[in-house]
Amino acid sequence: MPTDSTTRRKWWILGAMGVILGVILLDETIVGVALPTIQSDLAMTTLGSHWVVNIYMLVLAGLVAAAGKLGDMIGHKVLMIAGLLIFGLASLASGFADTGTWLIVARGVQGVGAAIIFPASLAMLMTTFPEEQRGMALGLYGGIGTVFLALGPLVGGVLTDLATWRWIFWINPPILIGVALVVQFAWSDADVEKLRERFDPIGLVLLVAGLSLTVFGIMQGPDIGWLSPVIVGSLASGLVLLAAFVAFEWRRRDSPLIEVRLFANPTFSACNLMIFNAQFSKMALFVFGALYFQQALGLTPLMAGVARLPAVAPQILTAPLAGRAADRFGARWPSIASVAMLFAGTVWVAAFTPANDYILLLPGLLLWGVSMPGLFIPPQRAILNAVKPSQQGEAGGISMSMQLLGAALGMAVSSAVYAMTRDFSAVFVANAVVVGAVLVIALLAIERRAAVQAAKA
């Protein structure tokens, strides 16, 4: 029987992990609202300002799997504290930036801290709760995070309009200190079996280099020229390195950075693809939606934040519901229903963007907000239940890699589409095409049984 202290510890961990997720989500939404002001204050180009968002996502995508594996090997507590320290110091540095280059570098360092925090928080949460309560725990974890997500546009608008955009970074450190204290006193790695494996530096180099070159090529293509030797070489080299990464990890049976053989399971692959798609869509709406509200509709940063609330506020209610649905029905139907709602919402927004009428956009924004938790929680539950407890960090790292790869590529593709067309509706149309493709794949690939079984190595 669990003791009172064990029960209290469980809820303290859940609260702390939800808060740290919320800080990172808050950072995403705040930056999107403040981006036009940052661009003006630091005299950045439009494409340069987009790198403020994407360098963070790119570093996250490149390092999160390695951080998850490292946590499984040495323990999550020490890495969580280190990640909180790095994220906090980089937040301070971002707030003091006086050039665009300084801010982009600081945001990259902030991404290092977040890459450590993300998989550690998931692993700590899933290890703390028994399997039958993990969907509920993920739902509450996501619910706490989406409270911060909902506050992000408002907080970002208030700080940017009434104080300075620099406070969107300076508010992070006090919260991080509180989370660090909870981790220090409520968590112990003693009861978690550590992986006895070697690290995979070759895989890490191939992944980071491949992602960096590919994203650079997509984002800079419209500016430099798609047929220029720099862009062609960057894209070709990036794709070759990513293919080499997959081949190397597939053949490596001793401690791979990412266990790519798991993707041989169609349900495992489809669940990760949905997480990829959710973050891809989030970049289009949160960054380019904020730009649309300010540049096309003439709203202030504060009012642009208010305008995005219908896309985030419903998530506070639907995140716990998505967790309970995952516990009861498994991954298939909650996930497919969520992708279908996202598709409908995205098509609606794309169709009515040219009208420049906010009221016409509301149904699409609401559908987007209702659908989002179902694209994370049921798939994450299925992915994490597919592995042993000692591999929770690795599985979390894989799902986070896909999520953040979706963010990096979503930002890169959206930036490229907007740079070529100067049309916000084209950005949302491109997003709708991706969501529609994922819906078809989900219908075909996700199995009907409740749990995903890990693919045999």
Side-chain angles (χ1 to χ4, degrees):
M1 294 291 291
T3 65
D4 289 343
S5 61
T6 301
T7 301
R8 286 195 298 270
R9 169 181 169 272
K10 180 170 67 175
W11 295 110
W12 273 106
I13 291 296
L14 172 60
M17 296 306 101
V19 166
I20 194 58
L21 171 67
V23 169
I24 296 172
L25 293 177
L26 182 76
D27 195 72
E28 288 181 19
T29 55
I30 281 180
V31 172
V33 169
L35 203 57
T37 304
I38 293 172
Q39 178 184 343
S40 175
D41 283 358
L42 300 184
M44 302 178 73
T45 65
T46 299
L47 191 58
S49 69
H50 292 173
W51 276 108
V52 173
V53 176
N54 216 31
I55 190 66
Y56 177 77
M57 296 300 178
L58 182 59
V59 172
L60 263 169
L63 298 182
V64 72
K69 173 62 72 69
L70 197 59
D72 286 335
M73 294 169 65
I74 69 173
H76 300 295
K77 183 174 185 175
V78 64
L79 278 186
M80 174 62 81
I81 297 297
L84 293 170
L85 179 62
I86 293 169
F87 192 89
L89 292 176
S91 295
L92 289 174
S94 296
F96 284 109
D98 60 4
T99 66
T101 301
W102 177 343
L103 180 58
I104 290 170
V105 171
R107 287 280 288 165
V109 177
Q110 200 177 30
V112 174
I116 296 170
I117 291 168
F118 256 131
S121 68
L122 267 177
M124 293 167 74
L125 184 72
M126 297 299 286
T127 303
T128 300
F129 283 82
E131 182 174 338
E132 65 272 13
Q133 293 183 330
R134 287 174 182 169
M136 176 272 295
L138 280 170
L140 293 174
Y141 168 77
I144 296 169
T146 50
V147 170
F148 283 77
L149 182 70
L151 291 174
L154 287 176
V155 174
V158 168
L159 293 176
T160 303
D161 269 358
L162 304 182
T164 170
W165 58 265
R166 299 177 187 280
W167 275 105
I168 69 176
F169 300 111
W170 289 340
I171 63 173
N172 291 336
I175 302 173
L176 301 178
I177 291 171
V179 172
L181 290 173
V182 173
V183 172
Q184 179 64 34
F185 292 108
W187 175 263
S188 172
D189 286 324
D191 298 329
V192 181
E193 179 186 356
K194 296 182 176 64
L195 286 180
R196 300 183 181 277
E197 296 183 355
R198 292 180 298 171
F199 198 64
D200 179 12
I202 296 176
L204 179 61
V205 170
L206 289 173
L207 177 62
V208 172
L211 285 178
S212 300
L213 288 168
T214 302
V215 169
F216 174 84
I218 294 172
M219 286 192 69
Q220 298 293 142
D223 189 46
I224 298 177
W226 290 108
L227 297 180
S228 73
V230 171
I231 297 303
V232 172
S234 177
L235 290 172
S237 300
L239 293 175
V240 168
L241 286 170
L242 289 176
F245 168 78
V246 173
F248 179 79
E249 296 296 300
W250 186 277
R251 293 166 55 188
R252 183 185 174 100
R253 296 183 179 274
D254 179 22
S255 309
L257 181 68
I258 293 179
E259 183 56 78
V260 295
R261 291 174 178 272
L262 289 172
F263 287 93
N265 183 303
T267 304
F268 185 90
S269 296
C271 286
N272 275 286
L273 182 61
M274 279 188 292
I275 291 172
F276 171 98
N277 176 59
Q279 200 72 12
F280 189 105
S281 175
K282 186 184 290 186
M283 288 299 100
L285 183 66
F286 281 0
V287 176
F288 289 87
L291 292 173
Y292 168 76
F293 291 143
Q294 293 178 64
Q295 295 179 6
L297 302 188
L299 301 182
T300 65
L302 174 57
M303 292 309 299
V306 173
R308 287 195 307 175
L309 278 179
V312 292
Q315 298 180 47
I316 300 171
L317 299 176
T318 57
L321 294 177
R324 287 198 288 271
D327 283 338
R328 182 172 181 182
F329 301 111
R332 180 175 170 82
W333 293 116
S335 300
I336 289 174
S338 297
V339 179
M341 282 191 290
L342 177 64
F343 180 67
T346 306
V347 169
W348 188 285
V349 170
F352 287 103
T353 294
N356 290 337
D357 187 333
Y358 177 74
I359 299 299
L360 293 177
L361 296 176
L362 269 176
L365 296 175
L366 286 168
L367 277 171
W368 194 97
V370 169
S371 71
M372 195 53 51
L375 296 169
F376 287 106
I377 295 168
Q380 281 180 336
R381 180 186 185 277
I383 290 165
L384 292 169
N385 280 341
V387 300
K388 299 179 293 184
S390 63
Q391 293 178 304
Q392 293 287 343
E394 181 178 8
I398 291 174
S399 67
M400 284 298 171
S401 292
M402 295 302 296
Q403 177 178 339
L404 297 162
L405 179 60
L409 290 179
M411 187 66 194
V413 170
S414 297
S415 295
V417 171
Y418 183 72
M420 290 186 293
T421 65
R422 294 294 169 182
D423 183 1
F424 287 106
S425 64
V427 174
F428 301 129
V429 167
N431 184 43
V433 170
V434 174
V435 177
V438 172
L439 176 59
V440 173
I441 293 170
L443 284 166
L444 295 175
I446 299 181
E447 299 171 359
R448 296 178 183 275
R449 56 186 175 177
V452 178
Q453 300 298 322
K456 300 296 183 182

